[in-house]
Amino acid sequence: EVKLVESGGGLVQPGRSLKLSCAASGFSFNDYWMGWVRQAPGKGLEWIGEINQDSSTINYTPSLKDKFTISRDNAQNTLYLQMSKLGSEDTAIYYCARKAIYVYYGLLLQYFDYWGQGVMVTVSS
Amino acid sequence: DIQMTQSPASLSASLGETVSIECLASEGISNDLAWYQQKSGKSPQLLIYAASRLQDGVPSRFSGSGSGTRYSLKISGMQPEDEADYFCQQSYKYPNTFGAGTKLELK
Protein backbone atom coordinates (compact mmCIF):
# COMPACT_ATOMS: atom_id res chain seq x y z
CA GLU A 1 0.00 0.00 0.00
CA VAL A 2 1.36 3.40 -0.99
CA LYS A 3 1.66 5.71 2.01
CA LEU A 4 2.88 9.27 2.27
CA VAL A 5 3.10 10.76 5.75
CA GLU A 6 4.00 14.40 6.27
CA SER A 7 5.47 15.74 9.51
CA GLY A 8 7.22 18.78 10.89
CA GLY A 9 4.38 21.27 10.80
CA GLY A 10 3.19 23.52 13.59
CA LEU A 11 3.19 27.11 14.78
CA VAL A 12 6.13 29.23 13.64
CA GLN A 13 6.88 32.93 14.06
CA PRO A 14 7.06 35.23 11.03
CA GLY A 15 10.49 35.38 9.47
CA ARG A 16 11.53 32.00 10.83
CA SER A 17 12.23 28.76 8.99
CA LEU A 18 10.66 25.32 9.08
CA LYS A 19 11.45 21.99 7.44
CA LEU A 20 8.73 19.53 6.51
CA SER A 21 9.29 15.84 5.87
CA CYS A 22 7.30 13.31 3.90
CA ALA A 23 7.98 9.65 4.64
CA ALA A 24 7.13 7.36 1.74
CA SER A 25 6.43 3.64 1.85
CA GLY A 26 4.79 0.93 -0.21
CA PHE A 27 6.53 1.76 -3.48
CA SER A 28 9.97 2.22 -4.94
CA PHE A 29 10.55 5.83 -3.88
CA ASN A 30 13.58 6.40 -6.11
CA ASP A 31 11.54 5.59 -9.24
CA TYR A 32 9.22 8.58 -8.93
CA TRP A 33 9.12 12.33 -9.18
CA MET A 34 7.67 13.79 -5.99
CA GLY A 35 5.98 17.11 -5.33
CA TRP A 36 4.57 19.52 -2.77
CA VAL A 37 1.19 21.26 -2.92
CA ARG A 38 -0.30 23.61 -0.34
CA GLN A 39 -3.77 24.84 0.54
CA ALA A 40 -4.42 27.98 2.55
CA PRO A 41 -7.45 27.81 4.87
CA GLY A 42 -10.64 27.81 2.83
CA LYS A 43 -8.73 28.27 -0.43
CA GLY A 44 -7.72 26.22 -3.44
CA LEU A 45 -4.66 24.13 -4.21
CA GLU A 46 -1.31 25.74 -5.00
CA TRP A 47 1.47 23.77 -6.68
CA ILE A 48 4.76 24.47 -4.88
CA GLY A 49 7.20 22.37 -6.88
CA GLU A 50 8.59 18.95 -7.59
CA ILE A 51 11.82 17.00 -7.75
CA ASN A 52 12.95 14.21 -10.03
CA GLN A 53 14.26 10.83 -9.03
CA ASP A 54 17.94 11.71 -8.55
CA SER A 55 17.43 15.34 -7.47
CA SER A 56 19.04 16.63 -10.67
CA THR A 57 15.90 18.55 -11.66
CA ILE A 58 13.80 20.62 -9.29
CA ASN A 59 11.03 22.94 -10.44
CA TYR A 60 9.30 25.59 -8.33
CA THR A 61 6.45 27.99 -8.71
CA PRO A 62 8.23 31.32 -9.33
CA SER A 63 6.81 33.19 -6.34
CA LEU A 64 8.26 30.61 -3.91
CA LYS A 65 11.57 29.84 -5.61
CA ASP A 66 13.65 32.03 -3.29
CA LYS A 67 11.93 30.91 -0.08
CA PHE A 68 11.37 27.18 -0.44
CA THR A 69 13.79 24.33 -1.19
CA ILE A 70 12.72 20.83 -2.12
CA SER A 71 15.07 17.90 -1.53
CA ARG A 72 14.93 14.16 -1.06
CA ASP A 73 16.86 11.33 0.53
CA ASN A 74 16.29 8.16 -1.46
CA ALA A 75 18.10 6.04 1.14
CA GLN A 76 15.57 7.18 3.73
CA ASN A 77 12.58 7.24 1.35
CA THR A 78 11.91 10.80 2.47
CA LEU A 79 10.98 14.02 0.71
CA TYR A 80 11.67 17.40 2.29
CA LEU A 81 10.46 20.98 2.04
CA GLN A 82 12.69 23.61 3.63
CA MET A 83 10.77 26.85 4.10
CA SER A 84 12.44 30.13 5.04
CA LYS A 85 11.39 33.73 5.65
CA LEU A 86 7.90 32.55 6.47
CA GLY A 87 5.01 34.99 6.46
CA SER A 88 1.33 34.81 7.30
CA GLU A 89 0.63 34.08 3.63
CA ASP A 90 2.42 30.75 4.07
CA THR A 91 -0.16 29.52 6.59
CA ALA A 92 -1.59 26.44 4.91
CA ILE A 93 -1.90 22.68 4.86
CA TYR A 94 1.09 21.25 3.03
CA TYR A 95 0.70 18.03 1.06
CA CYS A 96 3.34 15.83 -0.48
CA ALA A 97 2.31 13.81 -3.51
CA ARG A 98 3.71 11.19 -5.84
CA LYS A 99 3.85 12.06 -9.51
CA ALA A 100 2.94 9.41 -12.06
CA ILE A 101 3.39 9.52 -15.80
CA TYR A 102 1.15 8.19 -18.55
CA VAL A 103 2.72 7.87 -21.99
CA TYR A 104 0.28 8.84 -24.75
CA TYR A 105 1.50 8.91 -28.35
CA GLY A 106 4.93 10.00 -27.20
CA LEU A 107 3.60 12.62 -24.77
CA LEU A 108 4.40 12.26 -21.08
CA LEU A 109 1.17 13.16 -19.29
CA GLN A 110 1.69 13.69 -15.58
CA TYR A 111 -0.51 13.69 -12.52
CA PHE A 112 -0.37 13.25 -8.74
CA ASP A 113 -1.70 9.76 -8.06
CA TYR A 114 -1.12 9.56 -4.30
CA TRP A 115 -1.26 12.30 -1.70
CA GLY A 116 -0.31 12.45 1.95
CA GLN A 117 -2.79 13.44 4.65
CA GLY A 118 -1.24 16.89 4.88
CA VAL A 119 0.45 18.84 7.65
CA MET A 120 -0.65 22.22 8.97
CA VAL A 121 1.77 25.12 9.12
CA THR A 122 0.63 28.24 10.96
CA VAL A 123 2.74 31.38 10.75
CA SER A 124 1.88 33.74 13.56
CA SER A 125 3.50 35.69 16.36
CA ASP B 1 2.18 30.68 -16.44
CA ILE B 2 -0.79 28.74 -17.82
CA GLN B 3 -4.00 29.97 -16.20
CA MET B 4 -6.72 27.40 -15.52
CA THR B 5 -10.17 28.99 -15.41
CA GLN B 6 -12.57 26.59 -13.72
CA SER B 7 -16.34 26.96 -13.76
CA PRO B 8 -18.70 27.09 -12.09
CA ALA B 9 -17.29 28.05 -8.70
CA SER B 10 -20.16 26.22 -7.05
CA LEU B 11 -23.19 24.20 -7.99
CA SER B 12 -25.94 22.26 -6.38
CA ALA B 13 -27.25 19.03 -7.87
CA SER B 14 -30.10 16.66 -7.06
CA LEU B 15 -29.64 12.95 -6.50
CA GLY B 16 -29.16 11.25 -9.86
CA GLU B 17 -28.60 14.49 -11.76
CA THR B 18 -25.78 14.77 -14.27
CA VAL B 19 -23.33 17.60 -13.62
CA SER B 20 -20.44 19.05 -15.57
CA ILE B 21 -17.47 21.10 -14.49
CA GLU B 22 -15.21 22.86 -16.97
CA CYS B 23 -11.63 24.02 -17.09
CA LEU B 24 -10.34 26.42 -19.71
CA ALA B 25 -6.58 26.67 -20.11
CA SER B 26 -4.99 29.92 -21.27
CA GLU B 27 -3.10 27.94 -23.90
CA GLY B 28 -3.20 24.44 -25.30
CA ILE B 29 -2.15 21.73 -22.84
CA SER B 30 -2.31 18.61 -25.04
CA ASN B 31 -4.55 16.61 -22.68
CA ASP B 32 -2.05 16.96 -19.82
CA LEU B 33 -4.86 17.51 -17.37
CA ALA B 34 -6.00 15.78 -14.21
CA TRP B 35 -9.11 16.10 -12.04
CA TYR B 36 -9.10 15.69 -8.27
CA GLN B 37 -11.86 15.35 -5.70
CA GLN B 38 -11.38 16.73 -2.21
CA LYS B 39 -13.88 15.91 0.49
CA SER B 40 -14.15 18.10 3.54
CA GLY B 41 -11.11 17.78 5.79
CA LYS B 42 -9.41 15.25 3.52
CA SER B 43 -6.55 15.31 1.05
CA PRO B 44 -7.26 15.46 -2.70
CA GLN B 45 -7.88 12.19 -4.52
CA LEU B 46 -7.17 11.57 -8.20
CA LEU B 47 -10.23 10.96 -10.35
CA ILE B 48 -9.12 11.44 -13.96
CA TYR B 49 -5.71 11.77 -15.61
CA ALA B 50 -4.64 12.44 -19.19
CA ALA B 51 -7.93 14.34 -19.57
CA SER B 52 -10.09 11.24 -19.93
CA ARG B 53 -8.54 8.23 -18.23
CA LEU B 54 -10.33 7.00 -15.11
CA GLN B 55 -8.09 6.28 -12.13
CA ASP B 56 -8.38 2.73 -10.79
CA GLY B 57 -11.14 2.40 -8.21
CA VAL B 58 -13.00 5.55 -9.26
CA PRO B 59 -16.69 4.94 -10.05
CA SER B 60 -17.56 4.87 -13.73
CA ARG B 61 -20.09 7.69 -13.31
CA PHE B 62 -17.07 10.01 -13.42
CA SER B 63 -15.72 10.82 -16.87
CA GLY B 64 -13.41 13.39 -18.41
CA SER B 65 -13.22 14.84 -21.88
CA GLY B 66 -11.74 17.68 -23.85
CA SER B 67 -8.79 18.72 -25.92
CA GLY B 68 -6.70 21.77 -26.66
CA THR B 69 -7.72 24.37 -24.11
CA ARG B 70 -11.16 23.08 -23.00
CA TYR B 71 -11.70 20.20 -20.62
CA SER B 72 -14.61 18.95 -18.61
CA LEU B 73 -15.45 16.55 -15.81
CA LYS B 74 -18.87 14.90 -15.86
CA ILE B 75 -20.63 13.08 -13.07
CA SER B 76 -23.43 10.96 -14.53
CA GLY B 77 -25.84 10.56 -11.68
CA MET B 78 -25.00 12.58 -8.59
CA GLN B 79 -24.58 10.53 -5.41
CA PRO B 80 -24.43 11.80 -1.82
CA GLU B 81 -20.77 10.80 -1.57
CA ASP B 82 -19.92 13.05 -4.54
CA GLU B 83 -20.43 16.15 -2.44
CA ALA B 84 -16.93 17.64 -2.47
CA ASP B 85 -14.61 20.20 -4.01
CA TYR B 86 -13.21 19.43 -7.45
CA PHE B 87 -10.00 20.78 -8.95
CA CYS B 88 -8.38 20.53 -12.36
CA GLN B 89 -4.59 20.66 -12.79
CA GLN B 90 -2.39 21.09 -15.83
CA SER B 91 1.06 19.52 -15.89
CA TYR B 92 1.90 20.53 -19.46
CA LYS B 93 4.21 23.36 -18.48
CA TYR B 94 5.96 24.57 -15.38
CA PRO B 95 4.77 25.88 -13.09
CA ASN B 96 1.97 23.35 -12.95
CA THR B 97 -1.27 25.12 -12.07
CA PHE B 98 -4.63 24.25 -10.57
CA GLY B 99 -8.06 25.60 -11.29
CA ALA B 100 -9.69 27.57 -8.46
CA GLY B 101 -12.04 24.71 -7.68
CA THR B 102 -15.73 23.87 -7.84
CA LYS B 103 -17.80 23.24 -4.76
CA LEU B 104 -20.44 20.59 -5.50
CA GLU B 105 -23.31 20.19 -3.09
CA LEU B 106 -26.27 17.85 -2.98
CA LYS B 107 -29.56 19.69 -3.35
Side-chain angles (χ1 to χ4, degrees):
Chain A
E1 179 196 7
V2 172
K3 282 191 75 175
L4 298 170
V5 179
E6 301 93 339
S7 61
L11 177 63
V12 60
Q13 292 180 326
R16 303 297 291 267
S17 299
L18 195 66
K19 188 172 186 177
L20 305 182
S21 300
C22 170
S25 61
F27 66 101
S28 182
F29 181 70
N30 56 12
D31 284 343
Y32 287 85
W33 282 72
M34 298 293 297
W36 288 97
V37 175
R38 72 179 181 179
Q39 187 171 36
K43 302 295 185 183
L45 301 172
E46 180 181 20
W47 183 85
I48 295 171
E50 55 192 47
I51 184 169
N52 74 339
Q53 292 90 336
D54 65 1
S55 305
S56 60
T57 301
I58 309 173
N59 295 294
Y60 298 93
T61 199
S63 61
L64 298 176
K65 191 177 187 330
D66 295 330
K67 285 179 49 165
F68 289 6
T69 301
I70 296 172
S71 61
R72 64 191 293 163
D73 182 341
N74 287 343
Q76 298 294 321
N77 291 340
T78 303
L79 175 72
Y80 300 102
L81 180 66
Q82 175 72 53
M83 305 183 291
S84 63
K85 295 176 275 184
L86 287 165
S88 57
E89 68 278 8
D90 299 312
T91 293
I93 297 172
Y94 286 74
Y95 297 100
C96 68
R98 186 180 85 168
K99 198 147 216 191
I101 295 175
Y102 174 70
V103 182
Y104 179 75
Y105 290 103
L107 291 174
L108 302 181
L109 307 183
Q110 304 167 66
Y111 52 97
F112 288 128
D113 62 347
Y114 287 94
W115 297 62
Q117 85 287 351
V119 63
M120 184 71 204
V121 173
T122 303
V123 184
S124 175
S125 54
Chain B
D1 300 3
I2 295 177
Q3 307 303 315
M4 302 300 294
T5 303
Q6 188 172 338
S7 62
S10 65
L11 77 159
S12 183
S14 302
L15 198 63
E17 184 178 346
T18 293
V19 300
S20 285
I21 299 168
E22 294 197 344
C23 266
L24 177 66
S26 58
E27 62 183 87
I29 58 172
S30 296
N31 287 13
D32 205 350
L33 182 107
W35 290 96
Y36 303 92
Q37 177 193 65
Q38 186 179 32
K39 295 184 179 180
S40 181
K42 302 293 187 182
S43 55
Q45 300 289 309
L46 176 69
L47 296 174
I48 301 285
Y49 63 95
S52 62
R53 299 197 66 83
L54 193 67
Q55 173 68 348
D56 290 345
V58 174
S60 59
R61 64 180 178 274
F62 291 92
S63 62
S65 63
S67 63
T69 62
R70 290 186 175 274
Y71 298 86
S72 62
L73 172 72
K74 186 166 76 171
I75 306 172
S76 299
M78 174 77 179
Q79 298 299 307
E81 60 267 30
D82 300 336
E83 200 169 64
D85 294 327
Y86 293 83
F87 298 91
C88 63
Q89 181 205 8
Q90 68 80 21
S91 296
Y92 184 66
K93 281 188 179 177
Y94 289 115
N96 293 176
T97 44
F98 289 91
T102 295
K103 187 175 192 65
L104 175 60
E105 294 178 328
L106 183 64
K107 199 181 293 183

